[in-house]
Amino acid sequence: MSREIEVCLSPTLIPNYIIEGRIVVVIDIFRATSSICYGIENGAESIIPVATVEECLSYNGKGYLLAAERNGEVVEGFDFGNSPFSYTKEKVEGKTVVLTTTNGTHAINQSLKAKQIVIGSFLNLNALCTWLDAQSDDVLLLCSGWKNKFNLEDTLFAGAVVHTLKNKFSHHCDAAIASEDMYLLAKDNLRAYLHKSSHSQRLKELNIEDDIQFCLKQNICSVIPVLKDGKIVSIC
């Protein structure tokens, strides 16, 4: 096999990987990349990821929806944060959302040297894997983690992708092997496994268990969101 798939368990580890010429899949299961996939699926024209709350605010009054999340909560004064339920067809169809989050948009900004940046979540797992299989480039699965720390949910999704594509890509990366092993342990009941995760507990304290459950749904989206000219759009 000429193609390689690797897993980066935190954005802080990016300097240890070659990303130039590769496809980087950004993963932030709870909740940014899940919401991005759902928003694009529901007809959002585009989503503009920005690094800071201040940069997001600079788009105010220009016809955009503004979404800002920090520490799991909507930043005061913004239209919404990164709950997937804010990205319904009724709210986002035909509109552009400017988005900043604690982890996901940070990981996107850390990946800008990649040949292509695409967005992954359990919501579009099969569509993403089918698309990756059809490409000729090496793949890096980038887990956004929590404030640059390792987390379980992103790693489980990386493991799901590795497991699906293991016969199509070589994967001599220990992080890929470990993430697949974790996924195989958890796959029959992801929510039960993730009850122990720090971010699951953090979100539970914010009374958004529905968000957690939704973000673990599989294959309800068919889109592949891709970053193009600073905007996330559907690849099709």
Side-chain angles (χ1 to χ4, degrees):
M1 300 180 202
S2 58
R3 295 179 298 171
E4 182 177 28
I5 190 166
E6 291 189 295
V7 174
C8 178
L9 296 173
S10 163
T12 58
L13 297 172
I14 277 283
N16 298 322
Y17 292 85
I18 297 170
I19 64 171
E20 293 85 350
R22 291 186 169 191
I23 297 168
V24 171
V25 179
V26 174
I27 305 160
D28 185 3
I29 298 303
F30 295 154
R31 295 163 287 167
T33 61
S34 300
S35 295
I36 289 169
C37 288
Y38 196 51
I40 296 296
E41 180 78 15
N42 283 323
E45 184 175 307
S46 66
I47 296 174
I48 302 173
V50 298
T52 67
V53 170
E54 291 74 20
E55 188 177 356
C56 188
L57 192 59
S58 73
Y59 285 82
N60 190 33
K62 300 178 181 179
Y64 300 103
L65 293 174
L66 304 185
E69 170 271 334
R70 286 296 183 271
N71 299 315
E73 298 183 281
V74 179
V75 177
E76 186 177 353
F78 285 79
D79 296 309
F80 44 84
N82 65 346
S83 168
F85 298 115
S86 296
Y87 292 77
T88 60
K89 191 177 186 72
E90 294 75 19
K91 293 181 179 179
V92 303
E93 186 175 25
K95 298 178 180 178
T96 291
V97 181
V98 184
L99 173 67
T100 183
T101 72
T102 305
N103 304 296
T105 54
H106 170 66
I108 291 170
N109 285 321
Q110 294 293 101
S111 308
L112 295 179
K113 293 182 180 179
K115 180 177 181 180
Q116 200 162 33
I117 298 172
V118 299
I119 304 300
S121 70
F122 283 108
L123 305 185
N124 72 335
L125 173 60
N126 280 353
L128 174 68
C129 289
T130 298
W131 182 82
L132 290 173
D133 184 29
Q135 309 310 303
S136 58
D137 301 303
D138 292 339
V139 173
L140 178 64
L141 305 173
L142 173 58
C143 301
S144 298
W146 174 254
K147 296 184 177 180
N148 286 321
K149 297 178 181 178
F150 168 88
N151 75 15
L152 288 177
E153 62 272 14
D154 295 350
T155 305
L156 287 180
F157 177 77
V161 176
V162 170
H163 182 66
T164 304
L165 297 175
K166 65 185 300 181
N167 295 323
K168 307 295 181 70
F169 288 78
S170 62
H171 63 294
H172 305 299
C173 161
D174 282 357
I177 294 167
S179 62
E180 183 190 13
D181 286 350
M182 284 177 57
Y183 170 70
L184 292 175
L185 283 172
K187 67 182 181 66
D188 292 332
N189 193 335
L190 292 172
R191 183 67 191 105
Y193 189 89
L194 286 170
H195 270 297
K196 67 185 83 174
S197 75
S198 62
H199 201 32
S200 173
Q201 292 301 315
R202 196 176 296 115
L203 295 178
K204 189 176 179 181
E205 289 171 5
L206 296 172
N207 296 314
I208 45 180
E209 174 65 24
D210 286 349
D211 280 19
I212 298 172
Q213 296 281 2
F214 186 86
C215 291
L216 296 177
K217 289 180 179 290
Q218 296 189 27
N219 304 316
I220 65 170
C221 296
S222 60
V223 294
I224 312 297
V226 60
L227 185 69
K228 185 175 182 180
D229 299 326
K231 296 181 178 181
I232 298 170
V233 296
S234 174
I235 210 162
C236 301

